[in-house]
């Protein structure tokens, strides 16, 4: 079997799908090579992510990793969300095929991009080394 039951469940019944009109932070990342695009919306109150939504255009693994990532950061602090790794997402899904690991990387990057947008909108200083310089990234711009 290529995909775990958890991957199939999050693909067929994704959690937190949709747009958020009043989002406090929006992160959009994409991979031009495979065509996956993820957009993540976060609502923040007192440094806690109270709500999160995502829109993903991509394969089943991209949808499953987006869904799982939203579940993993909902109710967590901004710092905890920033610490979310693609490896943790893959483990929570009971694994992904090697050629689909990039989907979990996109999920991690979408979370970080949404947090960075939240910081920027609210003029909150942050450690730039925690965020990839997306303008240089060959993921989207390669």
């Amino acid at each position: 079997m290529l995909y775990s039951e958890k991957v199939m469940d999050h693909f067929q019944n994704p959690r937190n799908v949709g747009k958020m009109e009043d989002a406090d932070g929006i992160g959009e990342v994409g991979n031009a090579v495979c065509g996956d695009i993820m957009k993540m919306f976060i609502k923040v109150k007192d440094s806690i992510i109270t709500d999160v939504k995502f829109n993903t255009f991509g394969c089943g693994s991209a949808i499953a990793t987006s869904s799982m990532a939203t579940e993993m950061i909902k109710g967590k602090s901004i710092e905890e969300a920033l610490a979310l790794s693609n490896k943790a997402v893959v483990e929570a899904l009971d694994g992904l095929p090697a050629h689909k690991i990039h989907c979990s990387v996109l999920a991690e990057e979408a979370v970080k991009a949404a947090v960075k947008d939240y910081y920027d909108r609210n003029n909150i200083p942050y450690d730039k080394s925690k965020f990839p310089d997306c303008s240089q990234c060959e993921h989207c711009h390669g």
Side-chain angles (χ1 to χ4, degrees), residues 10 63 69 97 122 134:
H10 277 269
I63 291 165
N122 292 281
C134 287

Side-chain angles (χ1 to χ4, degrees), residues 38 43 56-57 63 75 102:
M38 275 180 204
K43 193 92 187 120
T56 292
F57 177 83
I63 291 165
H102 69 269

Side-chain angles (χ1 to χ4, degrees), residues 28-78:
E28 186 169 356
V29 295
N31 183 323
V33 177
C34 63
D36 293 330
I37 298 168
M38 275 180 204
K39 196 167 190 177
M40 204 157 288
F41 306 82
I42 57 171
K43 193 92 187 120
V44 181
K45 187 173 182 359
D46 301 325
S47 296
I48 300 294
I49 296 173
T50 56
D51 198 12
V52 57
K53 297 262 184 256
F54 80 91
N55 267 332
T56 292
F57 177 83
C59 67
S61 295
I63 291 165
T65 54
S66 303
S67 174
M68 181 56 87
T70 62
E71 288 282 277
M72 292 172 79
I73 65 168
K74 200 174 196 174
K76 298 282 196 302
S77 71
I78 290 278

Side-chain angles (χ1 to χ4, degrees), residues 1 3-13 64 93:
M1 177 176 74
Y3 296 104
S4 72
E5 282 181 37
K6 281 190 183 172
V7 171
M8 292 308 293
D9 181 39
H10 277 269
F11 166 58
Q12 291 167 335
N13 309 292
L93 287 167

Side-chain angles (χ1 to χ4, degrees), residues 122-140:
N122 292 281
N123 297 314
I124 299 169
Y126 55 88
D127 178 356
K128 288 186 171 45
S129 71
K130 287 186 177 180
F131 300 92
D133 178 4
C134 287
S135 65
Q136 301 304 312
C137 174
E138 55 197 50
H139 238 15
C140 308

Side-chain angles (χ1 to χ4, degrees), residues 83-139:
L84 180 73
S85 68
N86 74 296
K87 190 170 184 271
V89 174
V90 171
E91 284 171 7
L93 287 167
D94 294 336
L96 276 176
H99 67 285
K100 292 295 182 181
I101 295 295
H102 69 269
C103 295
S104 63
V105 174
L106 278 180
E108 176 189 330
E109 289 173 352
V111 170
K112 286 188 171 150
V115 169
K116 183 179 182 297
D117 184 50
Y118 166 72
Y119 283 160
D120 288 342
R121 288 178 189 214
N122 292 281
N123 297 314
I124 299 169
Y126 55 88
D127 178 356
K128 288 186 171 45
S129 71
K130 287 186 177 180
F131 300 92
D133 178 4
C134 287
S135 65
Q136 301 304 312
C137 174
E138 55 197 50
H139 238 15

